[in-house]
Amino acid sequence: VAASFEGKVNFVFHSVVQPWHAQSSYMHEASLAVLKLHGPDAFWKYAVAVTERQDEFFDDEVFEKSRQQIYKDLAILAHEQGFDDKKIMARLQLAGLGNAGNAVTQHLKWAVKFHRVRGVHVTPTVFVNGLEAGIVSSDWTADEWAAFLDWHVNKTTPG
């Protein structure tokens, strides 16, 4: 759908951690590590891979796993996409004692703060021209997305 709106719609992705799924933070940290190490194209490739295999990271699948094991599983998935899993794991390791976080913690904090200010709590949350489009649903088909975007492009474009 996005390709058919190229040049008409500016798509912006933001990480939205869902704290009721504890592993959500780890998944977003891994994606930020891929972004920082390998760039935006790698991030998108990795995000698609994680989405395609998201059921492996559902609550019932990770309940008995440690944070470190989830990181390892995410790094293996990155390796399968051609990315350096050792460097990714290095960025996910604790940076020091106490609550020092890791190499991507600050970036995740900025993402969380950004969404808290805007009142974003669930995904997908879509904004069109700065206003939340509350009708968007996670179960939309490609046709429903195309219709939604087409309406907004044609109704908000001058002329």
Side-chain angles (χ1 to χ4, degrees):
V1 173
S4 62
F5 289 92
E6 191 170 330
K8 299 176 186 173
V9 175
N10 184 20
F11 294 96
V12 178
F13 175 87
H14 293 280
S15 292
V16 179
V17 174
Q18 296 181 334
W20 46 90
H21 304 297
Q23 69 278 14
S24 175
S25 290
Y26 311 148
M27 295 169 79
H28 285 281
E29 286 177 323
S31 69
L32 289 169
V34 169
L35 175 65
K36 294 298 174 189
L37 289 167
H38 300 287
D41 290 340
F43 169 84
W44 284 112
K45 182 177 180 183
Y46 184 68
V48 168
V50 170
T51 300
E52 289 174 348
R53 294 182 40 193
Q54 64 180 303
D55 58 325
E56 296 174 29
F57 299 96
F58 284 176
D59 294 343
D60 61 334
E61 294 294 324
V62 301
F63 187 75
E64 298 291 332
K65 292 185 177 185
S66 69
R67 176 181 187 176
Q68 186 74 353
Q69 183 57 53
I70 294 169
Y71 281 156
K72 285 179 183 175
D73 292 345
L74 291 162
I76 289 168
L77 181 55
H79 179 76
E80 291 170 1
Q81 305 309 307
F83 307 126
D84 189 330
D85 56 318
K86 290 178 181 54
K87 286 184 179 178
I88 291 166
M89 281 299 293
R91 292 191 71 81
L92 298 174
Q93 297 307 302
L94 293 178
L97 299 175
N99 286 327
N102 58 38
V104 296
T105 297
Q106 186 58 56
H107 298 282
L108 190 64
K109 285 181 178 181
W110 288 328
V112 170
K113 287 178 181 180
F114 179 77
H115 290 293
R116 284 181 179 171
V117 167
R118 297 188 82 186
V120 174
H121 303 289
V122 297
T123 60
T125 300
V126 175
F127 289 84
V128 177
N129 296 329
L131 300 174
E132 184 176 348
I135 65 168
V136 172
S137 174
S138 60
D139 65 354
W140 271 13
T141 65
D143 289 340
E144 289 171 303
W145 275 107
F148 171 80
L149 293 169
D150 186 56
W151 187 89
H152 283 283
V153 166
N154 290 317
K155 295 294 182 187
T156 59
T157 305

